[in-house]
Amino acid sequence: GVFNVVTGLGEIAGKALGLHPDVDCIGFTGSTDVGKSLLQYAGQSNMKRIWLECGGKSPNIIFADCHNLEHAAQESARSVLRNQGQVCSAGSRVLVEQNIVEKFKKLVITASKEFVPGDPLDPCTRMGPLAFVDHYQRVHSYVEIGVNEGAHLLLDGRLDSTDDGSCFFGPTIFSEVTNNMRVA
């Protein structure tokens, strides 16, 4: 087999790969809109196989027989908070067996508090800023949406806004989220 790395902007390089008749398969992790475009490109070319992970909400599943619940909580926090959650495969949903929910909540809150936003050039920083102001505002609006829809805000990462365009947003955790809520 051949493995190629193609660099470039998605709307140019991704479209070219999606439409090219010699490309037999594409694996993509990202937005739902781009995934739909790739499916269209596959249909317009050689009906190549497309493997998609779109829209995020990748789950961590924690069972009561977990051998190291503290480690599972640390990894659950890390999986969503690394790169400020700006990873399409971020583990932004945690499904926990009912009889360990309360214990796990405490552990994941403790682990998440270690991700204090700060200067990304500082080696001690574990969480930098969000990519841009519009994204910061969108994340902020989703916290409001979650609260308004009845989700319980266990850890509030909203920081005092500044006028310098900073996009720092701390770890935020909801519980009691149902599938009909927008934050789900």
Side-chain angles (χ1 to χ4, degrees), residues 6-63:
V6 179
T7 60
L9 297 175
E11 61 267 17
I12 298 168
K15 184 175 183 178
L17 286 169
L19 290 171
H20 201 288
D22 290 337
V23 174
D24 295 323
C25 180
I26 293 178
F28 173 78
T29 300
S31 74
T32 302
D33 288 340
V34 174
K36 288 177 182 179
S37 293
L38 288 171
L39 289 169
Q40 290 175 354
Y41 301 151
Q44 293 169 12
S45 62
N46 61 346
M47 293 187 56
K48 64 182 61 56
R49 290 181 184 194
I50 305 287
W51 297 334
L52 301 174
E53 172 57 48
C54 297
K57 301 296 180 199
S58 304
N60 290 308
I61 302 171
I62 313 297
F63 292 105

Side-chain angles (χ1 to χ4, degrees), residues 2 4 19 39 45 52-53 60 64 85 87 108 129 146 155 159 163 167 174 180:
V2 176
N4 289 322
L19 290 171
L39 289 169
S45 62
L52 301 174
E53 172 57 48
N60 290 308
V87 177
V108 81
L155 184 60
L159 304 172
D163 294 329
C167 297
F174 283 108
N180 64 332

Side-chain angles (χ1 to χ4, degrees), residues 34-104:
V34 174
K36 288 177 182 179
S37 293
L38 288 171
L39 289 169
Q40 290 175 354
Y41 301 151
Q44 293 169 12
S45 62
N46 61 346
M47 293 187 56
K48 64 182 61 56
R49 290 181 184 194
I50 305 287
W51 297 334
L52 301 174
E53 172 57 48
C54 297
K57 301 296 180 199
S58 304
N60 290 308
I61 302 171
I62 313 297
F63 292 105
D65 64 353
C66 175
H67 295 293
N68 189 337
L69 203 55
E70 186 173 332
H71 181 70
Q74 291 168 345
E75 289 303 306
S76 292
R78 186 195 60 75
S79 74
V80 70
L81 298 174
R82 67 182 164 88
N83 201 36
Q84 302 70 249
Q86 299 171 122
V87 177
C88 296
S89 59
S92 58
R93 182 188 317 235
V94 183
L95 306 173
V96 182
E97 195 167 341
Q98 188 63 42
N99 59 336
I100 60 167
V101 166
E102 293 307 317
K103 182 176 182 180
F104 190 81

Side-chain angles (χ1 to χ4, degrees), residues 101-117:
V101 166
E102 293 307 317
K103 182 176 182 180
F104 190 81
K105 280 182 193 178
K106 291 175 186 171
L107 291 170
V108 81
I109 288 169
T110 299
S112 296
K113 286 181 178 178
E114 294 179 15
F115 287 83
V116 178

